[in-house]
Amino acid sequence: MTVAIYPGSFDPIHYGHIDIAKRAAQLFDKLIWAVYARPLKDIMFSTEERLAFMREAAKDTPNILVMPYGGLTVEFARQQGAKVIVRGLRVTYDFEIEYQTALANRQLAEDIETVCLMTSLKYAFLSSSTLKEVAFAGGQVAEIVPPYVEVALRKRLAQLQDDPGDKVKVISLLE
Ligand code: ADP
């Protein structure tokens, strides 16, 4: 049985992430869709919120298991018996980052391979930060996130906008 993990911050998920998770689930016996609990960047949604979005998105795909993790991705992969780390590739900028991360992970764990899936064309320029920026500016996001994410996003942005002391927080979240 080949187990793969698809790790990331997923703050929050959008259709680009969901597309990669579902396509990867067709390639491996089990896909652990893993949310990094404490990324170095500021996050908008708690680990529990991000997990809930992912569970909802994966509810019709029985071989996707949604889990949180902390620490080294390769250690988490080993604990789960996963031999593959799945990542998504959008434009060339992703390639450099993913290439470096894959080589660093190979140094740490020779037995674990990184497999990158190319984004579907319609999601090529979609990122969580673009999504937050569009939503913050009042733009339409219905085509890029599931309805439950859109509702949560609008609610969170309204809370942040209501609190003038949180201007700096909003800016760092949008970066
Ligand atoms: P990170 O894990 O680097 O904080 P994300 O959580 O946004 O970033 O993304 C997790 C993974 O999903 C990464 O491999 C990223 O390249 C991939 N990804 C993000 N957006 C898309 C997209 N629109 N299409 C395909 N893959 C994507």
Side-chain angles (χ1 to χ4, degrees):
M1 174 157 116
T2 311
V3 180
I5 64 166
Y6 175 34
S9 321
F10 306 115
D11 183 46
I13 50 161
H14 49 63
Y15 285 134
H17 295 133
I18 297 171
D19 176 58
I20 296 289
K22 293 202 168 170
R23 284 164 53 202
Q26 291 177 354
L27 298 176
F28 303 102
D29 299 305
K30 178 167 144 189
L31 181 77
I32 299 173
W33 194 3
V35 73
Y36 191 54
R38 290 182 213 290
L40 291 175
K41 53 192 177 188
D42 278 326
I43 49 166
M44 184 171 271
F45 294 100
S46 69
T47 305
E48 289 65 33
E49 288 169 313
R50 287 176 287 150
L51 285 167
F53 300 147
M54 290 155 67
R55 289 203 173 106
E56 184 64 27
K59 71 177 184 207
D60 297 328
T61 314
N63 68 329
I64 297 183
L65 182 68
V66 172
M67 288 177 75
Y69 81 104
L72 281 177
T73 302
V74 288
E75 279 308 318
F76 175 70
R78 277 200 176 124
Q79 283 161 16
Q80 299 302 321
K83 290 267 173 242
V84 177
I85 296 174
V86 171
R87 298 283 287 172
L89 277 188
R90 284 161 296 188
V91 276
T92 50
Y93 170 78
D94 269 352
F95 176 76
E96 286 183 19
I97 304 271
E98 296 302 340
Y99 189 74
Q100 273 178 21
T101 310
L103 289 185
N105 282 336
R106 174 92 56 79
Q107 285 287 108
L108 295 166
E110 267 190 356
D111 51 325
I112 296 176
E113 288 289 349
T114 298
V115 170
C116 289
L117 300 186
M118 308 308 138
T119 183
S120 297
L121 202 53
K122 58 187 170 185
Y123 306 129
F125 294 97
L126 177 54
S127 67
S128 296
S129 43
T130 308
L131 157 68
K132 285 181 248 184
E133 254 182 77
V134 172
F136 186 67
Q140 286 295 320
V141 294
E143 283 184 10
I144 51 184
V145 288
Y148 47 89
V149 174
E150 180 175 3
V151 169
L153 192 55
R154 298 229 179 267
K155 204 165 146 194
R156 184 59 39 89
L157 286 170
Q159 284 165 353
L160 288 167
Q161 277 167 325
D162 279 351
D163 185 348
D166 257 354
K167 276 243 156 53
V168 175
K169 177 100 184 143
V170 172
I171 290 165
S172 72
L173 282 169
L174 295 181
E175 277 170 0

